[in-house]
Amino acid sequence: MALNAVPEVVTTERRHSVLLVSIDNPPVNALSVDVRRGLVAAIDAAEADGAVAAVLIVGAGRNFIAGADIREFGKPPQSPSLPEVCHRIEACSKPVVAAIQGAALGGGLEIALSAHYRLAVTSARLGLPEVQLGLIPGSGGTQRAPRLIGAKAALDLILSGRHVAPKEALTLGLIDRLGEGTDAMAEGLNYAQELVAARAPVRRTRDANALTDQETQRAAIEAARADTARKSRSLFSPMKIIEAVEAALTLPFDEGLALERKLFLQCIDSPQRAGLIHAFFAEREVLNAPETKAAKPRPVNSCGIIGGGTMGAGIAVAMLDAGLPVTMIERDEPSLARGRAHVEKVYDGLVKKGRLTPGAKAAVMARFTGSTSYDALAQTDLVVEAVFEDMAVKKAVFAELGRVCKMGAVLATNTSYLDIDEIAASTSRPGDVLGLHFFSPANIMKLLEIVVPAKVNADVVATGFELAKKLKKTPVRAGVCDGFIGNRILAVYRQAADHMMEDGASPYQIDQAVRDFGYPMGPFEVSDLAGGDIGWATRKRKAATRDPKARYVQIADRICERGWFGQKTGRGYYLYVEGARTGTPDPEVTAIIDAERQRAGITPRPFSDEEIMRRYMAAMVNEGANVVHQRIALRPLDVDVTFLYGYGFPRHRGGPMHYADTVGLSQVLADIREFAREDSLFWQPSPLLVELVERGANFASLNQSE
Ligand code: COA
Ligand code: NAD
């Protein structure tokens, strides 16, 4: 190979009468322009070579093809397009076989569907996940899949974006053969040679006939349309998917393809596509922190948990689910019994639903032990403290941990707000202490803030990231401050919501506006779900340090004083009749709000939903900018991932910082300056926001600089 030559991403080699076409484009064989060119050249070569009787397409490495190259979306298209490549493969006059291992996703499956025969080995995962990126399959997937497996199965696949294992793919008719071994190339060569020997014909998916029963197919389309209107009303691409699949029924193949292309390009241009693709890359980029580059994680094969309350039990389940043995420490035997019961309750729920057998539950619980003595932690690799949110209690726990734990054990605190530098200073080994901030319920929520105090060793931080992977959670690196990334920003936009409530918007209108923006719940519903007492306790703790000049809305306190803590007490901002999970507006709460407005001398004014969201988002983005400015978050994308995974931020908007870029930072700053005319203490523009607007730059520019 000549110096500077681009390595060949598609190579061909003749094996007897089969042309073996191998795609080798690390890391995941995405279909970038060189691969597309290589595939067309390979088909041309097969046509031209009289000794070739069949073509076999395989992927090198772990995957077949992970899909179109996502980095190319939104950039000027380069020829040949993927639909052209698919067409070229399907039109080949010699049988083309795809042999699949690992991912055959999106464009990867569309390539396989354009081949004439498909084989998959056990590692294969087939799917059309474009919907998760705000797209529709754009290279024949919406036309070929229904013709091959029927509209119902095709819609299920394309609307969910789920990955199908080979056995199911065979049942669906998505593949023709299940490979017995693990080597897709060897299996594929055997299959191709068999086909040649049998003089198997070219068999084009465009001519497949799974759509013959028109009535059933129509019913499937209408059902999907009704379901999508109900469940995905704020999303753009699902309805386009249905429109395209319907065309497979009503239009000739080529016209269907043309419509698919048109709809695909509409999706490419949509802001939702940009938001979802930002989320895709951001959730991978968060894994790159200075410590993960600099240090190797310490081995973690066992785990200790201090405290068996809400969080301790949830964290224990997360650890058990990841296969780790867990030792729980509690204050006394009754508390320990309660902690164990909390853990068992989760597994009992699964057994009840038929998702776990009693035997499997017993096997999991066999890895769980409890003790009231810290000495039980002597050999543990990692300990997570989840006791009361009280500095004195935490310090006492860490002093004990310093005494009993083996050297090299990682000592983590799950504190929500407390100063982890101070906690670390209470042990003899601050280099081993970090924050692992789980979210409730800890066995379900995907976010894990890895909080990095000043004296921690890099390998301890790297261990936090490695643990997140083991727990199948998304880690975000955060610096020490009151509330870290998520709760610190939450505290600010929650205040903005409280201000609006006192100024005239009802909590019900605010919740509705926030839901219409795309959140599953509004802030007052969340408060009722989490329990109003938690926020109340935090407010009381912070009362002494609150700036007396800062605006303080007392409505939440009035509600809590009545013992109305939300769902668990049957009422909070909403009324929950007989244990209902969704509440109804409460006239008594409205009366409390009115009284508080009067007490504060406020004449209520109307708010539009648009103004509510402008204020809510401006508060969130401004504090997000402060968090980045102070290096609490490494980049704006870390704030985005925190909110996507821990706070229900609508994924199609990419996260608050990405959203701010789409609105325009100068607009966000202008809003803040306008709001500051009423309350200049609360609405102080972040220095980073001001600087970016002055430079004409956006948050995305800071994502790229690392
Ligand atoms: N285009 C461009 N880059 C891609 C890609 C694609 N279709 N799919 C994955 N990558 C990149 C990732 O960004 C990552 O890059 P990084 O190492 O620089 O962060 C790298 O490939 C490895 O991906 P990762 O997800 O970390 O690997 P994995 O082994 O856990 O998972 C897949 C592999 C293929 C299952 C997963 O990457 C995936 O689902 N990809 C998207 C598939 C898709 O949506 N295809 C349809 C596109 S239309
Ligand atoms: P909780 O009151 O439900 O549980 C605390 C448990 O710790 C109790 O079971 C108590 O018996 C035990 N405990 C207290 N002192 C102890 C000691 N010295 N040794 C052993 N056990 C002791 O509280 P929680 O909601 O689980 O919160 C625990 C921690 O997690 C707090 O720091 C909190 O801020 C943090 N956190 C809570 C949430 C949440 O949503 N609840 C979310 C993230 C983080």
Side-chain angles (χ1 to χ4, degrees):
M1 197 194 296
L3 269 182
N4 297 330
V6 181
E8 293 246 19
V9 289
V10 179
T11 51
T12 54
E13 178 191 345
R14 198 147 59 70
R15 299 280 182 98
H16 304 289
S17 60
V18 177
L19 187 72
L20 174 64
V21 180
S22 182
I23 300 166
D24 189 1
N25 185 27
V28 291
N29 298 335
L31 290 158
S32 41
V33 62
D34 291 333
V35 174
R36 301 200 298 273
R37 284 182 187 144
L39 281 170
V40 170
I43 299 294
D44 286 347
E47 295 279 20
D49 186 344
V52 169
V55 180
L56 174 67
I57 303 178
V58 297
R62 292 211 325 248
N63 298 301
F64 177 65
I65 302 169
D69 185 340
I70 299 173
R71 289 176 203 277
E72 286 183 4
F73 290 145
K75 300 199 178 132
Q78 284 180 283
S79 185
S81 69
L82 197 50
E84 282 160 12
V85 178
C86 288
H87 173 73
R88 190 72 194 89
I89 292 170
E90 189 170 61
C92 184
S93 64
K94 299 172 183 179
V96 181
V97 181
I100 299 167
Q101 86 282 13
L105 299 174
L109 183 55
E110 289 176 301
I111 292 275
L113 290 174
S114 308
H116 306 136
Y117 297 90
R118 285 160 292 280
L119 168 146
V121 296
T122 44
S123 68
R125 293 293 175 269
L126 297 86
L128 293 166
E130 286 85 347
V131 69
Q132 288 160 3
L133 303 175
L135 293 170
I136 74 171
S139 304
T142 65
Q143 304 305 299
R144 290 191 179 93
R147 282 175 166 81
L148 195 62
I149 63 175
K152 186 163 192 271
L155 280 168
D156 166 51
L157 211 60
I158 306 174
L159 285 170
S160 71
R162 73 190 174 93
H163 299 180
V164 172
K167 262 195 188 147
E168 187 188 351
L170 186 69
T171 314
L172 288 173
L174 210 49
I175 59 169
D176 304 291
R177 182 179 285 201
L178 217 52
E180 275 160 21
T182 52
D183 182 346
M185 186 174 81
E187 300 270 343
L189 276 172
N190 285 341
Y191 189 28
Q193 270 151 9
E194 255 179 56
L195 290 167
V196 170
R199 295 182 183 283
V202 159
R203 199 189 54 167
R204 300 194 169 98
T205 307
R206 62 183 286 156
D207 302 324
N209 59 5
L211 290 176
T212 42
D213 177 3
Q214 283 271 332
E215 217 167 283
T216 317
Q217 309 301 328
R218 278 220 159 277
I221 285 169
E222 286 321 318
R225 189 164 271 143
D227 198 46
T228 301
R230 218 176 46 243
K231 286 200 208 134
S232 319
R233 70 194 155 93
S234 50
L235 296 180
F236 183 74
S237 78
M239 279 300 179
K240 305 286 166 194
I241 287 169
I242 296 173
E243 198 180 334
V245 171
E246 188 171 34
L249 232 71
T250 54
L251 296 179
F253 184 75
D254 290 328
E255 285 176 38
L257 275 188
L259 179 72
E260 177 195 81
R261 197 69 199 155
K262 191 179 108 190
L263 297 172
F264 174 79
L265 292 174
Q266 285 175 9
C267 292
I268 281 278
D269 287 340
S270 81
Q272 296 195 355
R273 188 274 305 163
L276 288 163
I277 287 183
H278 170 75
F280 177 88
F281 285 119
E283 70 200 19
R284 286 163 175 77
E285 191 57 32
V286 285
L287 304 175
N288 294 321
E291 295 85 358
T292 57
K293 286 180 203 146
K296 271 209 166 71
R298 296 181 187 174
V300 174
N301 295 311
S302 58
C303 153
I305 298 188
I306 326 278
T310 311
M311 292 309 287
I315 297 166
V317 172
M319 300 285 186
L320 290 169
D321 286 349
L324 289 167
V326 169
T327 306
M328 179 182 278
I329 306 290
E330 260 289 357
R331 294 181 287 178
D332 45 40
E333 289 298 340
S335 308
L336 185 57
R338 262 199 311 277
R340 187 188 173 94
H342 284 146
V343 172
E344 276 204 71
K345 200 172 148 200
V346 173
Y347 292 110
D348 286 339
L350 294 177
V351 170
K352 226 187 208 161
K353 284 186 204 144
R355 287 177 27 206
L356 192 75
T357 62
K361 178 200 150 186
V364 173
M365 288 308 293
R367 281 189 276 113
F368 178 91
T369 49
S371 176
T372 53
S373 160
Y374 282 77
D375 294 329
L377 299 177
Q379 292 310 316
T380 306
D381 293 329
L382 176 137
V383 179
V384 183
E385 166 278 309
V387 302
F388 302 134
E389 186 77 338
D390 180 306
M391 184 55 96
V393 180
K394 305 242 187 222
K395 279 184 172 174
V397 168
F398 274 80
E400 276 296 281
L401 292 177
R403 184 181 66 78
V404 299
C405 290
K406 67 180 180 187
M407 291 318 287
V410 171
L411 311 180
T413 171
N414 181 48
T415 180
S416 306
Y417 294 98
L418 299 178
D419 180 349
I420 303 181
D421 285 318
E422 194 179 333
I423 295 175
S426 68
T427 71
S428 45
R429 34 174 128 160
D432 294 334
V433 176
L434 87 167
L436 290 178
H437 186 218
F438 290 80
F439 288 70
S440 182
N443 56 316
I444 309 263
M445 292 293 287
K446 289 288 171 215
L447 180 63
L448 181 62
E449 277 180 311
I450 312 256
V451 192
V452 180
K455 294 204 172 141
V456 68
N457 292 320
D459 63 346
V460 170
V461 179
T463 310
F465 277 87
E466 188 64 22
L467 178 74
K469 195 176 183 187
K470 216 176 230 173
L471 302 183
K472 298 200 174 74
K473 295 202 184 288
T474 300
V476 173
R477 185 192 189 280
V480 173
C481 69
D482 192 345
F484 319 126
I485 298 177
N487 282 348
R488 170 171 164 176
I489 298 172
L490 167 73
V492 176
Y493 68 82
R494 272 300 275 120
Q495 281 179 55
D498 285 347
H499 293 173
M500 289 190 275
M501 174 164 65
E502 197 173 51
D503 286 340
S506 80
Y508 315 118
Q509 185 195 0
I510 296 171
D511 278 349
Q512 181 67 46
V514 169
R515 279 198 307 271
D516 287 347
F517 183 80
Y519 273 92
M521 295 173 102
F524 299 100
E525 289 168 294
V526 170
S527 167
D528 275 2
L529 178 69
D533 49 330
I534 293 185
W536 195 27
T538 309
R539 290 196 299 280
K540 283 193 243 179
R541 202 176 52 244
K542 291 184 178 171
T545 53
R546 201 164 39 232
D547 179 349
K549 289 198 288 295
R551 180 172 177 185
Y552 181 74
V553 176
Q554 299 182 24
I555 296 168
D557 296 344
R558 291 298 90 79
I559 291 174
C560 288
E561 283 158 10
R562 287 166 168 77
W564 300 351
F565 296 147
Q567 293 196 14
K568 62 185 171 191
T569 57
R571 65 196 298 181
Y573 288 98
Y574 292 80
L575 268 175
Y576 300 87
V577 185
E578 291 186 13
R581 308 267 307 266
T582 37
T584 48
D586 184 345
E588 286 187 57
V589 167
T590 309
I592 293 171
I593 296 170
D594 280 340
E596 278 301 307
R597 286 172 184 156
Q598 270 185 11
R599 190 196 51 75
I602 290 168
T603 311
R605 70 172 178 89
F607 280 79
S608 69
D609 292 356
E610 189 262 346
E611 183 184 355
I612 289 173
M613 286 321 295
R614 220 151 46 91
R615 286 174 179 266
Y616 199 71
M617 289 310 303
M620 196 183 303
V621 169
N622 197 48
E623 194 60 10
N626 282 332
V627 156
V628 174
H629 187 58
Q630 292 165 14
R631 302 284 291 169
I632 298 299
L634 286 175
R635 299 145 297 204
L637 67 83
D638 296 81
V639 176
D640 284 340
V641 173
T642 301
F643 279 83
L644 292 174
Y645 281 91
Y647 297 82
F649 193 91
R651 188 175 169 91
H652 65 269
R653 295 190 190 270
M657 310 310 264
H658 175 86
Y659 172 76
D661 277 352
T662 64
V663 171
L665 297 192
S666 53
Q667 179 61 53
V668 176
L669 182 59
D671 282 349
I672 291 169
R673 288 189 167 141
E674 180 195 323
F675 306 149
R677 278 191 245 132
E678 300 155 13
D679 184 349
S680 58
L681 193 59
F682 182 76
W683 292 104
Q684 293 183 40
S686 164
L688 178 64
L689 187 59
V690 174
E691 182 210 315
L692 288 171
V693 171
E694 278 168 4
R695 286 202 282 123
N698 59 10
F699 287 130
S701 66
L702 304 179
N703 289 334
Q704 283 150 13
S705 63
E706 289 290 318

